[in-house]
Amino acid sequence: MSRPAVKSKLASFLGKYKIIIAFFVLALVISLMTPNFLSWRNIINIFRQSSIIGIMAIGSTFVIIGGGFDISVGSLLALSAAMAVGLQSSMHWFLAVVVVLLVGAAFGAANGFLSSKIHIPPIIATLGTMTIIRGIVYMYTGGYPLYVDSEGFAFIGNGYVGPIPFPIILLLVLVALGQFVLVKTKFGRYSCAIGGNKEAARLSGIKVDLYVTLTFVVGGLMAAMSGIVYASRLLSVTPLAGQGYELDAIASAVIGGTSVSGGEGSVVRTLIGALLLTMITNAFNLIGIDLYVQYVFKGLVILAAVGFDSFYKARG
């Protein structure tokens, strides 16, 4: 095999699996610096800490692949968490969860409608709904914390199935389902096509507005689910819950290889991106690095991920 062919294959391999390679290299480096990093307890802790952002990032992956952005999901997490806790006084906790998921889907549909039908740029549309939803959270809670009093609901965030925390199982199930939908269903294929070239997809007969809206619906559903896990994990919720979570969810998707211009991504790699962010934070905490430095480093990681994606697309 010629040297150019070898280089091409190597470049293709690194491009496809760079996030997985980076994850394991970073894990190895951190384990050499902090012996406790690879303990079973710490690994489980990293996965559990990643569950809320990881679930939200599944939805962000679909939205970004479809060519959109949704920055309202942090506020929607807060509303979902508050409603999940508040509704338990008037109905069974399971029905409360169903209602919350429906509300999340409805707000996602509203974001999709504003973006696809009213033609408001997605980041502006979701900026508006982010502000509206946060206002609703304050009205719903009266500005005070709400507390969980249902043991069944608390199991979602604190229960175990054998030695594995339930939030980790829920995260992995949703990742597997999301990857299946993205790769094996018409919805997933059409979402990629629309994100890659919206006009070409429209000319091919794809109902672009419908499928764009559906990506936002998935985003709303996952934000609502993450809010449910959040409330059941902390056993409480405040009106400030979820602030900044939307940025971590988008960062997880982008670091995982989801193209910021749409049309390309993987839910599994998004999970790796979420774990990578959590792993960095966990390592810095073990080492004792200041919180403000962590923010700087996280920002650099995000810029590097987006920069590489944009650079290689410009060259291609």
Side-chain angles (χ1 to χ4, degrees):
M1 186 179 293
S2 64
R3 184 174 295 179
V6 171
K7 286 185 177 180
S8 177
K9 283 198 171 185
L10 180 61
S12 176
F13 177 82
L14 292 176
K16 188 174 182 180
Y17 298 105
K18 60 182 181 293
I19 182 61
I20 299 175
I21 295 170
F23 177 81
F24 284 108
V25 169
L26 185 60
L28 177 61
V29 171
I30 295 172
S31 66
L32 294 175
M33 298 171 63
T34 56
N36 293 329
F37 177 76
L38 288 180
S39 66
W40 171 255
R41 182 176 180 180
N42 192 55
I43 291 171
I44 288 295
N45 186 45
I46 289 172
F47 270 88
R48 182 160 49 190
Q49 288 178 349
S50 301
S51 60
I52 295 171
I53 292 297
I55 291 171
M56 184 183 289
I58 295 170
S60 295
T61 300
F62 276 88
V63 172
I64 297 172
I65 284 174
F69 268 97
D70 189 349
I71 61 172
S72 70
V73 288
S75 294
L76 188 52
L77 176 149
L79 178 61
S80 301
M83 289 185 64
V85 176
L87 290 174
Q88 292 174 42
S89 60
S90 58
M91 64 179 68
H92 191 274
W93 67 266
F94 183 80
L95 290 177
V97 166
V98 172
V99 171
V100 168
L101 292 175
L102 291 174
V103 170
F107 273 107
N111 285 331
F113 176 80
L114 292 172
S115 175
S116 62
K117 289 293 188 182
I118 309 300
H119 302 294
I120 301 175
I123 197 167
I124 302 301
T126 56
L127 175 64
T129 55
M130 176 185 74
T131 307
I132 292 169
I133 294 169
R134 186 64 66 175
I136 295 173
V137 174
Y138 275 98
M139 289 189 291
Y140 187 86
T141 61
Y144 294 98
L146 301 177
Y147 298 96
V148 174
D149 56 9
S150 168
E151 291 185 5
F153 181 74
F155 177 84
I156 298 173
N158 291 281
Y160 281 76
V161 177
I164 309 298
F166 184 73
I168 297 177
I169 295 174
L170 180 61
L171 170 64
L172 296 178
V173 168
L174 290 175
V175 165
L177 180 61
Q179 185 69 13
F180 175 83
V181 170
L182 185 61
V183 174
K184 298 294 185 180
T185 68
K186 182 169 68 175
F187 169 51
R189 293 192 297 271
Y190 284 1
S191 297
C192 291
I194 292 167
N197 191 321
K198 184 178 291 187
E199 191 57 34
R202 194 185 306 276
L203 293 174
S204 299
I206 297 174
K207 297 179 180 178
V208 171
D209 293 346
L210 171 63
Y211 285 100
V212 167
T213 300
L214 287 177
T215 63
F216 280 95
V217 170
V218 173
L221 274 171
M222 292 299 101
M225 180 58 75
S226 64
I228 291 165
V229 176
Y230 179 97
S232 59
R233 172 69 182 150
L234 300 182
L235 301 179
S236 65
V237 59
T238 70
L240 296 175
Q243 286 191 333
Y245 279 42
E246 62 279 349
L247 301 181
D248 284 344
I250 292 171
S252 298
V254 172
I255 291 170
T258 301
S259 174
V260 291
S261 57
E264 182 181 350
S266 163
V267 176
V268 172
R269 292 203 300 269
T270 291
L271 171 62
I272 301 297
L275 291 172
L276 189 64
L277 284 178
T278 305
M279 188 169 66
I280 292 171
T281 302
N282 178 268
F284 281 4
N285 289 335
L286 290 175
I287 297 170
I289 294 178
D290 191 86
L291 178 64
Y292 305 115
V293 178
Q294 296 182 30
Y295 281 122
V296 173
F297 190 81
K298 185 185 292 186
L300 291 173
V301 170
I302 295 168
L303 287 174
V306 177
F308 279 122
D309 175 69
S310 301
F311 176 75
Y312 281 111
K313 280 194 174 297
R315 287 187 63 184

